[in-house]
Amino acid sequence: MEISEDSLYQSVKEIVTQSREKVFRMANSTLLLTYWQIGQLIVEDEQKGDERATYGSYTLKNLSKKLTLEFGKGFDESNLRNMRSFYQAFPICDALRHELSWTHYRLLIKLDNSDKMNYYINESIQNNWNYRDLKRQINSLVFKNRGTFSSGYRSN
């Protein structure tokens, strides 16, 4: 039995697409875990067991310089602050949603309360929002206005 050329192409295309999606999901999960762990270490180092961190040290600046020399882009001071905020906003690693990317989380950690954050996490996953979609929804105050129109959010 011979497979038609078009059928062969479609089968191979499906295998390649699925493999790429798997690799992306695995890489994304690893990146999120890495950034979460870095954030945890930064918080623990800054606080040294205290409830609040002492400020004024050049820890992040020095760490950024060393990491950037060793690993290149991605470890500037602002991204290290994002990693710290990521850990602080999501202190339970198992609660991270791996359907979301680092760019999603960078937007989410800027929100001012956990209800808002949870709403946008759920909506992003349910509606398959990419970063731009999520940013547009946050900027249009969908959370604040969710009672005035149907957004797919159900409060229990």
Side-chain angles (χ1 to χ4, degrees), residues 1 5 18 26 39 43 51 63-64 67 78 94 97 110-111:
M1 180 176 193
E5 201 174 305
Q18 288 174 354
M26 192 181 303
V43 168
E51 192 171 317
L63 182 61
S64 171
L67 289 171
S78 69
D94 291 339
R97 299 298 303 263
K110 294 177 183 174
L111 298 175

Side-chain angles (χ1 to χ4, degrees), residues 19-156:
S19 295
R20 285 182 174 179
E21 287 173 8
K22 263 188 201 175
V23 168
F24 172 78
R25 282 192 306 271
M26 192 181 303
N28 185 60
S29 292
T30 302
L31 181 74
L32 291 177
L33 178 59
T34 299
Y35 285 177
W36 185 90
Q37 289 173 327
I38 291 170
Q40 180 185 33
L41 287 171
I42 290 169
V43 168
E44 289 174 357
D45 180 75
E46 287 178 339
Q47 294 180 205
K48 297 189 186 343
D50 296 335
E51 192 171 317
R52 296 190 58 97
T54 55
Y55 293 93
S57 73
Y58 292 93
T59 303
L60 288 185
K61 183 178 275 191
N62 293 334
L63 182 61
S64 171
K65 285 179 185 176
K66 290 177 182 178
L67 289 171
T68 300
L69 280 173
E70 180 82 20
F71 299 107
K73 293 171 96 173
F75 295 98
D76 60 30
E77 210 174 329
S78 69
N79 210 27
L80 291 176
R81 278 194 296 277
N82 284 333
M83 292 174 206
R84 176 179 56 198
S85 297
F86 180 48
Y87 170 76
Q88 290 170 324
F90 299 93
I92 301 169
C93 184
D94 291 339
L96 295 177
R97 299 298 303 263
H98 296 275
E99 300 96 319
L100 302 178
S101 68
W102 175 239
T103 54
H104 284 95
Y105 277 108
R106 281 193 355 239
L107 281 175
L108 292 165
I109 61 178
K110 294 177 183 174
L111 298 175
D112 57 5
N113 73 54
S114 60
D115 288 339
K116 219 183 264 191
M117 209 178 288
N118 289 327
Y119 170 80
Y120 284 114
I121 287 170
N122 292 330
E123 289 294 306
S124 292
I125 293 167
Q126 183 178 4
N127 296 303
N128 200 27
W129 288 344
N130 62 28
Y131 166 81
R132 286 188 181 103
D133 294 333
L134 175 58
K135 187 173 184 175
R136 185 174 36 258
Q137 296 298 330
I138 290 171
N139 289 339
S140 65
L141 304 174
V142 169
F143 177 79
K144 185 177 179 183
N145 300 324
R146 71 188 185 281
T148 60
F149 62 91
S150 175
S151 66
Y153 178 74
R154 299 170 204 222
S155 58
N156 294 333

